[in-house]
Amino acid sequence: MKGNVIVGQSGGPTAVINSSLAGVYRAAIDRGAKKVYGMRYGIQGLLDEQYIDLSKYIKSDLDVEILKRTPSSFLGTCRFKLPDIHEGGEIYERIFEILEKLDIECFIYIGGNDSMDTIKKLSDYALISGKPQKFMGVPKTIDNDLAVTDHTPGFGSAAKYIATSTKEIIRDGLGFSYKKKMITVIEIMGRNAGWLTGASALSRGEDCDGPDLIYLPELPFDTEKFMSRLKKLLEKKDVITVAVSEGIRTKDGTYVSELGSSVDYVDAFGHKQLSGTASYLASLISQEIGCKSRAVEFSTLQRSAAHIASRVDVDEAFVVGGEAVKAAEGGDSGKMVVINRYSNDPYQCSFDIYDVHRIANDERLVPREWISKDGTDVTDEFIDYVRPLIQGDSPSVMVGGIPRHLFIPVKTKREKAEKGE
Ligand code: F6P
């Protein structure tokens, strides 16, 4: 590799997003990159010339291993939409000026469908203006909603956390089942895709019945039917657990989260912050059924639970990072690394690259045939698809009984002022 590499992270983090960062770093160094820069807060930070030399923070093999097990975006993230390439000339000139100054050969962006929009636009701009830099995407999202790839790094670990925690919540509830009725509603992320919510079904086994009802956002949610199903279930059992996606919507397209006191925030890509679905439904249950009800929102826990990350996920996240560098060095641009699966048992997959234009801004949803007929569960095919992705453990490096993380020290305003920054 003749030039340097710059890597950024964008969108919601995952438990293994830094394993991809470690993979990019390792591959770039192994391929002879003189410097590997990290964008602080993605493309938004880069525009303000916020970047670091990663070798100052990753100093040993142990640091690489700790980085692989550190949740959140090590470099910082953003949800920033680049303007259309024909309308945002100045922004693009600015970005390429910075890339030229840093002698960047490969620009790697770790992210989901919105982040692939950035790769698409930058690679298109480079092509039409004859710029030599190569732009590659590394898939990442707990939502598992990227097109073309079999699955996305980050999903397996979040699925493992969701299945495990759902099982523990169900067990907790069963302890109270003596002459007492209780309904727990668990809210799971994933926006308009139900992959994560469906993963709650993996809690099912000899020792656990799993959730009694599972509601994915792929199908319209009917509150009346939901209530009558609960009432029927309560005739048979006292403790009920329901898994709902944060993105379930009524027939007219209204998010259930908006029916309660939801948060009123919309990001640069027009995505509403979805939160409050479980608490809305739990209070409705108390009002209409009159039994004890509880809302559990996994919220950011499900994407930061690196202590229970899947080994398969950590390893694949690392590999896709390296593959992106390899492809960019080989001259590819405007593409994303994808995972192809050959078999579930034994689990076998390979890595490839694919045109990002087909992936950016698209959403891959759970197919209807993987959802039960009555729309309140997932099928065995769904379980068979997810099961291999939650396998194996990746134990954290423990210090004082708590996982150790790699981090960039945050300077206070005062420290910055003292250094004249
Ligand atoms: O896209 C990943 C994701 O975790 C979604 O599942 C969720 O809706 C969203 O990010 C939440 O993002 P934020 O933390 O910015 O509110």
Side-chain angles (χ1 to χ4, degrees), residues 243-366:
V244 296
S245 162
E246 62 172 8
I248 51 170
R249 280 184 273 195
T250 54
K251 223 171 35 204
D252 65 359
T254 310
Y255 284 111
V256 172
S257 66
E258 291 177 301
L259 300 175
S261 47
S262 65
V263 193
D264 215 4
Y265 177 79
V266 180
D267 73 14
F269 290 86
H271 305 303
K272 288 186 180 160
Q273 184 179 340
L274 303 171
S275 169
T277 308
S279 65
Y280 169 74
L281 292 176
S283 51
L284 206 66
I285 289 167
S286 304
Q287 279 165 33
E288 288 203 13
I289 301 184
C291 70
K292 183 174 164 93
S293 69
R294 173 171 268 135
V296 177
E297 197 177 322
F298 284 155
S299 186
T300 54
L301 292 169
Q302 62 208 297
R303 66 185 191 200
S304 49
H307 65 284
I308 195 173
S310 124
R311 178 82 207 193
V312 167
D313 199 22
V314 174
D315 290 348
E316 287 185 347
F318 186 81
V319 173
V320 292
E323 289 293 314
V325 175
K326 236 197 274 175
E329 192 200 6
D332 283 298
S333 190
K335 294 184 181 149
M336 186 189 86
V337 178
V338 296
I339 305 173
N340 297 320
R341 185 188 308 214
Y342 299 119
S343 74
N344 285 338
D345 187 15
Y347 173 61
Q348 281 183 317
C349 68
S350 70
F351 303 90
D352 204 348
I353 51 171
Y354 205 90
D355 185 356
V356 84
H357 293 78
R358 164 77 183 80
I359 297 167
N361 306 312
D362 197 2
E363 266 180 338
R364 187 178 65 110
L365 305 181
V366 177

Side-chain angles (χ1 to χ4, degrees), residues 12 79 141-143 189-191 246 273 303:
R79 291 196 192 276
T141 168
I142 59 166
D143 299 350
M189 278 185 170
R191 269 199 195 121
E246 62 172 8
Q273 184 179 340
R303 66 185 191 200

Side-chain angles (χ1 to χ4, degrees), residues 21-211:
L21 177 63
V24 169
Y25 180 74
R26 253 288 142 75
I29 296 292
D30 289 351
R31 288 170 175 270
K34 285 183 264 118
K35 286 230 181 278
V36 185
Y37 293 106
M39 294 168 222
R40 295 288 277 134
Y41 308 102
I43 193 76
Q44 194 171 13
L46 184 68
L47 277 162
D48 295 330
E49 292 209 49
Q50 297 286 315
Y51 52 80
I52 55 167
D53 175 349
L54 272 167
S55 65
K56 297 218 165 98
Y57 299 88
I58 309 173
K59 296 191 186 121
S60 63
D61 287 350
L62 179 61
D63 284 346
V64 170
E65 290 308 314
I66 296 176
L67 181 61
K68 283 165 76 175
R69 291 160 177 80
T70 298
S72 172
S73 308
F74 174 78
L75 294 170
T77 190
C78 68
R79 291 196 192 276
F80 185 81
K81 193 177 171 91
L82 282 176
D84 189 274
I85 55 169
H86 303 292
E87 287 161 12
E90 253 178 51
I91 283 200
Y92 289 95
E93 276 165 30
R94 172 100 189 98
I95 293 171
F96 280 87
E97 198 182 278
I98 298 168
L99 299 185
E100 272 152 35
K101 186 173 106 183
L102 297 178
D103 190 20
I104 299 301
E105 180 179 339
C106 310
F107 177 112
I108 313 284
Y109 217 37
I110 308 168
N113 26 29
D114 297 335
S115 316
M116 292 310 135
D117 181 70
T118 301
I119 287 294
K120 180 184 84 163
K121 287 171 175 161
L122 289 173
S123 58
D124 284 353
Y125 187 88
L127 197 69
I128 57 170
S129 43
K131 306 281 186 193
Q133 296 85 2
K134 306 294 175 213
F135 298 85
M136 281 295 300
V138 174
K140 166 257 32 165
T141 168
I142 59 166
D143 299 350
N144 198 36
D145 60 352
L146 283 186
V148 185
T149 185
D150 173 79
H151 58 277
T152 55
F155 169 64
S157 296
K160 188 175 175 114
Y161 171 85
I162 287 163
T164 306
S165 300
T166 299
K167 184 168 180 169
E168 289 167 348
I169 288 167
I170 293 171
R171 179 72 41 220
D172 178 276
L174 287 172
F176 289 95
S177 59
Y178 185 62
K179 294 186 181 173
K180 193 170 179 189
K181 296 201 182 292
M182 184 170 79
I183 301 175
T184 302
V185 185
I186 304 174
E187 177 178 327
I188 298 169
M189 278 185 170
R191 269 199 195 121
N192 302 318
W195 299 103
L196 287 172
T197 307
S200 64
L202 278 94
S203 57
R204 219 168 262 149
E206 275 182 89
D207 54 349
C208 179
D209 289 344

